[in-house]
C-alpha cells in the first residue's frame, strides 16, 4: 500500500521521523481505533489520533454535550449543547480530515454489546469516566484479542497504560484494579472537580500510547510497553511508571476468567 501524494504532504513531519517513516504512516492509515468516551480524555485523544492519520475511528459515547463540558472537552462549542457527543465528534473528524472513515455510536458499551461494537477495530482507546465501563471494555478486549489503551483522570492526577491481556504473559486492566469496582460508578469529576488542561495532558498521552500500539511491529516507535502504567501528577509535574503483574487468578484474563 502506498499513500497518495496529498497524504505524503499532510504527514510529512511524521514520515521524516525515523521512528515512524513511510511504513509507519501506512500502518496508521490501516489502523481502526475504537474510542470509548468523547469527553475530557476522548476529545484531545481523538484530535491527535485524527491528526496522526489513523484511517478509521469508531466513536462510542451515550452522553450529550452539557455546558459544564466546555471547560475541558475541546471539540465542543456552545452550539453543540444538547447534541449527542459521538455525533458531534464524528462531524469534527470529518471536517478535519474527510479521508478518515468515522462511525458514531450513541450507546453505552457493556459486556453484551462490546463484541459487535468493537468487531472490526484493531485496538481500543478507553477514556470513559467510570470503572464499570472500563472493566467491561477490558474484559471485552481480552475476549476479542484486542490491545487496549486505558486512561483515567481525576483532579490533578492521570493514569494511562497499554494492555494486552489476551497474551498469556501479559496483564489486563482487571489484573490492576481487581473486581471491587464492577458495580460502582465511583469516579466523580462533578464532585471532585478537574482542571481542563490536565484532561488534555492525559488525553494526549493516551493518544501517544495508542499510536505505539498501532505502530507495533511496523515502526520503531511501536513498543507498546504492555502493562506499564504511567501515573501523571500534573501539579508536580511528574510521571511515574508502574509495572503491572499478570494475576494468575484474574477473572478477566487468568484462570478464573468468566
Ligand atoms: Zn487480568
Amino acid at each position: 500500500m502506498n499513500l497518495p501524494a496529498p497524504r505524503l504532504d499532510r504527514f510529512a513531519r511524521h514520515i521524516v521521523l525515523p521512528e515512524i517513516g513511510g511504513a509507519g504512516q501506512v500502518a496508521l492509515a490501516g489502523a481502526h481505533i475504537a474510542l470509548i468516551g468523547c469527553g475530557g480524555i476522548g476529545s484531545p485523544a481523538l484530535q491527535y489520533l485524527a491528526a496522526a492519520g489513523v484511517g478509521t475511528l469508531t466513536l462510542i459515547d451515550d452522553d450529550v454535550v452539557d455546558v459544564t463540558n466546555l471547560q475541558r472537552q475541546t471539540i465542543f462549542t456552545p452550539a453543540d449543547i444538547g447534541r449527542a457527543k459521538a455525533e458531534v465528534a464524528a462531524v469534527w473528524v470529518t471536517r478535519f480530515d474527510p479521508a478518515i472513515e468515522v462511525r458514531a455510536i450513541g450507546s453505552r458499551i457493556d459486556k453484551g454489546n462490546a463484541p459487535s461494537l468493537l468487531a472490526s477495530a484493531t485496538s481500543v482507546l478507553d477514556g470513559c469516566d467510570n470503572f464499570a465501563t472500563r472493566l467491561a471494555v477490558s474484559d471485552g478486549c481480552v475476549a476479542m484479542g484486542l490491545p487496549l489503551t486505558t486512561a483515567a483522570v481525576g483532579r490533578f492526577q492521570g493514569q494511562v497504560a497499554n494492555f494486552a491481556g489476551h497474551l498469556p504473559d501479559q496483564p489486563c486492566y482487571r489484573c490492576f484494579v481487581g473486581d471491587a469496582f464492577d458495580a460502582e460508578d465511583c469516579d466523580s469529576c462533578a464532585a471532585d472537580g478537574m482542571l481542563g488542561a490536565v484532561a488534555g495532558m492525559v488525553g494526549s498521552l493516551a493518544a501517544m500510547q495508542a499510536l505505539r500500539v498501532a505502530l507495533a511491529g511496523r515502526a520503531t516507535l511501536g513498543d507498546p510497553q504492555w502493562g506499564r502504567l504511567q501515573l501523571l501528577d500534573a501539579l508536580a509535574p511528574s510521571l511515574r511508571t508502574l509495572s503491572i503483574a499478570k494475576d494468575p487468578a484474574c477473572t478477566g484474563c487468568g484462570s478464573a476468567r468468566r
Side-chain angles (χ1 to χ4, degrees):
M1 177 180 164
N2 288 316
L3 293 170
R7 304 302 280 174
L8 294 176
D9 289 341
R10 182 159 183 148
F11 302 110
R13 299 299 183 275
H14 272 174
I15 292 166
V16 78
L17 284 170
E19 292 84 356
I20 298 181
Q25 197 59 49
V26 168
L28 293 175
H32 174 178
I33 298 182
L35 182 78
I36 321 287
C38 301
I41 293 170
S43 288
L46 80 86
Q47 289 182 297
Y48 280 109
L49 295 179
V54 170
T56 307
L57 291 171
T58 292
L59 309 176
I60 303 172
D61 198 311
D62 67 337
D63 201 5
V64 297
V65 181
D66 182 82
V67 67
T68 60
N69 299 149
L70 302 181
Q71 162 261 16
R72 65 194 179 284
Q73 301 183 17
T74 47
I75 56 172
F76 304 127
T77 70
D80 301 319
I81 291 168
R83 297 178 61 203
K85 288 185 181 181
E87 297 286 346
V88 178
V91 169
W92 186 94
V93 170
T94 301
R95 276 197 192 131
F96 178 74
D97 185 352
I100 296 175
E101 200 172 312
V102 61
R103 188 166 63 127
I105 295 171
S107 43
R108 178 171 281 224
I109 190 167
D110 57 28
K111 195 178 175 183
N113 65 15
S116 64
L117 297 189
L118 304 178
S120 55
T122 53
S123 73
V124 175
L125 193 169
D126 186 3
C128 78
D129 62 358
N130 68 88
F131 274 108
T133 300
R134 276 200 290 273
L135 286 164
V137 168
S138 175
D139 291 348
C141 286
V142 172
M144 297 175 73
L146 282 174
L148 168 66
T149 304
T150 187
V153 65
R155 290 173 60 83
F156 300 101
Q157 270 82 43
Q159 302 177 352
V160 179
N162 282 335
F163 288 105
H166 55 286
L167 301 178
D169 56 340
Q170 294 296 340
C172 75
Y173 177 70
R174 191 182 283 280
C175 289
F176 170 49
V177 299
D179 299 338
F181 297 115
D182 274 304
E184 292 185 46
D185 230 18
C186 53
D187 298 294
S188 173
C189 87
D192 292 345
M194 191 195 300
L195 185 66
V198 178
M201 293 169 85
V202 174
S204 301
L205 182 55
M208 172 71 182
Q209 297 305 81
L211 294 176
R212 286 178 184 275
V213 172
L215 292 169
R218 308 287 291 277
T220 59
L221 182 71
D223 171 8
Q225 305 176 333
W226 302 128
R228 290 176 63 191
L229 186 84
Q230 308 296 335
L231 283 170
L232 172 76
D233 175 350
L235 276 185
S238 69
L239 199 61
R240 279 197 303 136
T241 305
L242 285 184
S243 286
I244 310 298
K246 190 173 184 88
D247 175 4
C250 175
T251 58
C253 72
S255 58
R257 189 166 154 179
R258 291 177 286 203

